[in-house]
Amino acid sequence: MCRKTNSSAQWHAACPAPVCWWAIPLAMAMVLASQWTGGMCPAAQTRPNILFIMADDHAAHAISAYGSRVNKTPNIDRLAKEGMRFDRCFVTNSICTPSRAVIMTGKYSHINGVPVFNRFDGSQPHLVKYLQAAGYYTAIVGKWHLGSDPTGFDYWNILPGQGVYYDPVFIEMGVRRKHTGYCTDLITEFTLKVLDGRPKDKPFFLMCHHKAPHRPWDPAERHAKKWQNVSIPEPPTFDDDYSTRSDAAREATMRIDRDLTARDVKQTPPPGLPPAELKKWKYQRYMQDYLACIDAVDEGVGQLLDYLERNGLAQNTIVIYTSDQGFFLGDHNWYDKRFIYTESLRMPFLVRWPAVVKPGTVNGDIIINADFAPTLLEAAGLAVPQDMQGRSFIRLLRGQTPADWRTAMYYRYYHYPAHHRVQPHYGLRTLRYTLVYFNKLDQWELYDLDRDPHEMNNVYNDPAYAETVKQLKEQLYKLKKELKDEDQFADNPPKDNV
């Protein structure tokens, strides 16, 4: 039996052997959970609340806490100032629906059954069900995008599919209703209502999922002209000619100059622009709207943080800000994501947890989106299910890196040819190298991040890297085997239905 303590950190230390919910049927777990919250373990106020804020397609390099050259995000930056910034948080499959399924299950796409835009089977065990069974009040507001109704939530109010920016329809507990207003503002408003109306005798797990800044980048009216007269710096890789890359880069249809449409830029370009100038013009229009969408998200984050402060919840609430993957902001002349390259692979991940995390800290260890569920379960005092492939990084939050912490992560992308013709590939990302194999092309790439941080020079065929290639391939296939990736969806991914 656990004893009551005065803080979540003390409570965690006082409960070294939490209930192993994964080892028993969910129905039985729910019975035990009700007993637990009734007196077997700490009272609700000693378990941390969790506010999980996630944007869609928000690149880390469009957050000023990550050193953005293009914008300021003062409210999101508060989490970095008051908590921890993770510099190597990586997605395992850089596309919206699969990433969300990984976050929910703690398992890779080939295990959770969502490698592309296909339906998530909500009957399987996942993070929210475990928290609900343990006595947490669970809710989600905003973008769900998993093709099935949410399960494990006491309350849900979600966008259908991608949703729209203006006057969106929401589905509240199965009932569709159109709302007047701007989507980002509505999601913030509905999240605040959930916080106000939640049962006060339970800890809460609340997911606030923004549509922004996903394409088509429709900003709020108050921000529509904010960036109009600002010259946004171009990335250093803007003119990448793909000369050392595989055929995959040339085939992908997500180039700023060639593939951004009139619908995307929302204006007709000045007549007679030469190709190089047209590319620059398109980039400016794209970024103006993209950054304006982020401005509303940042304002919403500020409102949520202020609410927690006003209502005495900040000290015992874990607040997370992340995105479902990275995004290309003109890097390599691209928009969108999907590739293993850094801008697409890296997720922003900021955590404020006053009882545990030292303010203003930065972590450079590799974490992945499959780690989110195990970490939040441990934070709530629950054992991590043995079938989860991620690993809790609670010790990293405490400023301690275990000696056996990962120094490499495995990546796999399946969605081809739809939506941008990015070739299927898998690969390895280490602290120094990116190794990638385009399996349908039978072509390899290797980048030395110490010498080439922007991944411009493919050195796979350089004799000087022959031994490195050998070692990295051994590491890659070892991880592939450990993760039970037996090419389940390599040739026939499920059909999109989200």
Side-chain angles (χ1 to χ4, degrees):
M1 184 178 298
C2 302
R3 64 180 185 273
K4 291 185 180 181
T5 54
N6 294 322
S7 75
S8 56
Q10 291 172 322
W11 169 70
H12 183 79
C15 298
V19 178
C20 296
W21 303 104
W22 55 265
I24 54 179
L26 190 60
M28 187 181 299
M30 294 179 72
V31 173
L32 289 175
S34 65
Q35 295 173 343
W36 180 32
T37 54
M40 289 178 64
C41 271
Q45 63 267 26
T46 63
R47 287 185 285 163
N49 304 306
I50 304 166
L51 176 58
F52 184 90
I53 308 170
M54 184 162 74
D56 192 311
D57 291 344
H58 190 179
H61 52 305
I63 295 175
S64 40
Y66 280 92
S68 171
R69 299 168 61 242
V70 295
N71 69 330
K72 299 292 184 184
T73 50
N75 293 296
I76 296 171
D77 291 359
R78 286 166 62 181
L79 295 175
K81 182 179 180 181
E82 298 166 8
M84 181 175 285
R85 186 189 82 209
F86 283 85
D87 282 352
R88 289 189 177 95
C89 178
F90 298 141
V91 66
T92 52
N93 181 356
S94 186
I95 187 171
C96 302
T97 300
S99 177
R100 291 163 192 267
V102 171
I103 290 169
M104 290 290 287
T105 62
K107 302 170 186 175
Y108 269 75
S109 301
H110 61 276
I111 301 295
N112 67 43
V114 186
V116 292
F117 286 115
N118 59 291
R119 181 181 178 275
F120 175 70
D121 178 5
S123 68
Q124 64 184 299
H126 59 68
L127 167 66
V128 186
K129 287 184 179 181
Y130 290 123
L131 290 173
Q132 186 186 53
Y136 271 74
Y137 174 73
T138 57
I140 181 170
V141 174
K143 186 169 180 178
W144 173 242
H145 205 227
L146 283 168
S148 56
D149 286 347
T151 58
F153 291 95
D154 295 304
Y155 174 81
W156 50 276
N157 192 6
I158 61 171
L159 295 168
Q162 291 282 2
V164 296
Y165 278 102
Y166 278 95
D167 299 337
V169 169
F170 280 77
I171 307 172
E172 184 178 18
M173 302 296 286
V175 178
R176 299 173 71 95
R177 179 185 167 198
K178 187 173 182 177
H179 297 264
T180 301
Y182 185 62
C183 188
T184 303
D185 297 343
L186 290 169
I187 289 170
T188 299
E189 176 188 328
F190 298 160
T191 302
L192 289 168
K193 285 182 178 179
V194 172
L195 286 169
D196 254 350
R198 76 192 192 283
K200 304 303 191 290
D201 60 342
K202 291 184 174 185
F204 64 79
F205 175 73
L206 173 54
M207 303 182 96
C208 171
H209 285 189
H210 286 291
K211 169 184 173 60
H214 192 282
R215 197 180 187 188
W217 312 305
D218 294 333
E221 289 183 6
R222 65 185 180 277
H223 297 135
K225 296 182 179 180
K226 174 180 176 180
W227 297 90
Q228 206 170 58
N229 299 314
V230 177
S231 179
I232 300 165
E234 295 163 2
T237 62
F238 191 53
D239 294 317
D240 190 348
D241 62 4
Y242 318 130
S243 59
T244 74
R245 300 186 189 278
S246 67
D247 295 334
R250 285 176 284 277
E251 181 181 351
T253 55
M254 53 189 205
R255 296 191 197 181
I256 297 288
D257 54 357
R258 186 188 65 191
D259 302 316
L260 269 180
T261 67
R263 173 176 174 268
D264 294 319
V265 298
K266 304 182 184 73
Q267 287 183 17
T268 301
L273 282 181
E277 291 305 309
L278 178 60
K279 175 183 173 182
K280 292 174 180 289
W281 182 87
K282 282 188 173 185
Y283 169 78
Q284 293 296 323
R285 284 294 307 123
Y286 156 49
M287 290 297 293
Q288 287 165 8
D289 286 344
Y290 178 90
L291 296 177
C293 288
I294 291 171
D295 287 328
V297 174
D298 187 69
E299 290 171 353
V301 170
Q303 291 178 50
L304 294 175
L305 296 180
D306 290 346
Y307 179 95
L308 297 178
E309 294 285 350
R310 285 196 311 272
N311 290 275
L313 294 168
Q315 276 299 115
N316 197 38
T317 299
I318 301 169
V319 182
I320 291 167
Y321 184 85
T322 188
S323 174
D324 51 356
Q325 63 265 317
F327 210 68
F328 292 111
L329 305 180
D331 314 281
H332 309 290
N333 187 23
W334 286 327
Y335 60 94
D336 210 73
K337 55 263 185 180
R338 302 166 195 264
F339 279 113
I340 193 176
Y341 309 128
T342 297
E343 296 87 358
S344 164
L345 184 72
R346 184 168 71 153
M347 308 165 72
F349 198 84
L350 303 167
V351 188
R352 186 182 75 180
W353 187 4
V356 171
V357 177
K358 183 180 177 181
T361 51
V362 178
N363 183 280
D365 297 308
I366 294 175
I367 64 170
I368 59 177
N369 58 338
D371 295 336
F372 298 178
T375 302
L376 294 177
L377 289 177
E378 185 177 354
L382 301 178
V384 177
Q386 288 183 329
D387 63 350
M388 283 191 176
Q389 295 176 303
R391 179 177 176 182
S392 170
F393 51 82
I394 288 288
R395 288 184 63 185
L396 302 186
L397 293 172
R398 296 182 183 280
Q400 307 159 358
T401 301
D404 63 346
W405 191 257
R406 74 168 67 85
T407 56
M409 61 82 63
Y410 178 71
Y411 179 87
R412 184 145 200 174
Y413 174 81
Y414 303 83
H415 195 231
Y416 178 85
H419 302 111
H420 301 301
R421 298 190 65 86
V422 172
Q423 280 281 342
H425 57 286
Y426 58 83
L428 186 77
R429 172 64 184 254
T430 74
L431 296 172
R432 177 170 176 175
Y433 296 104
T434 302
L435 177 72
V436 53
Y437 177 58
F438 294 94
N439 41 296
K440 288 185 181 294
L441 298 175
D442 190 24
Q443 295 179 352
W444 290 86
E445 295 177 3
L446 173 67
Y447 299 93
D448 183 340
L449 301 170
D450 280 1
R451 298 180 178 179
D452 178 25
H454 298 302
E455 296 165 310
M456 293 286 284
N457 184 29
N458 174 19
V459 294
Y460 178 79
N461 292 313
D462 185 334
Y465 286 89
E467 183 58 30
T468 299
V469 166
K470 179 177 179 292
Q471 293 173 2
L472 289 174
K473 282 187 176 180
E474 289 173 355
Q475 196 172 3
L476 169 65
Y477 287 108
K478 183 174 183 282
L479 261 181
K480 190 174 188 294
K481 183 178 180 180
E482 288 175 355
L483 292 167
K484 299 182 174 62
D485 182 9
E486 299 167 353
D487 297 328
Q488 291 94 321
F489 301 114
D491 297 319
N492 297 296
K495 292 182 179 179
D496 297 356
N497 63 6
V498 172

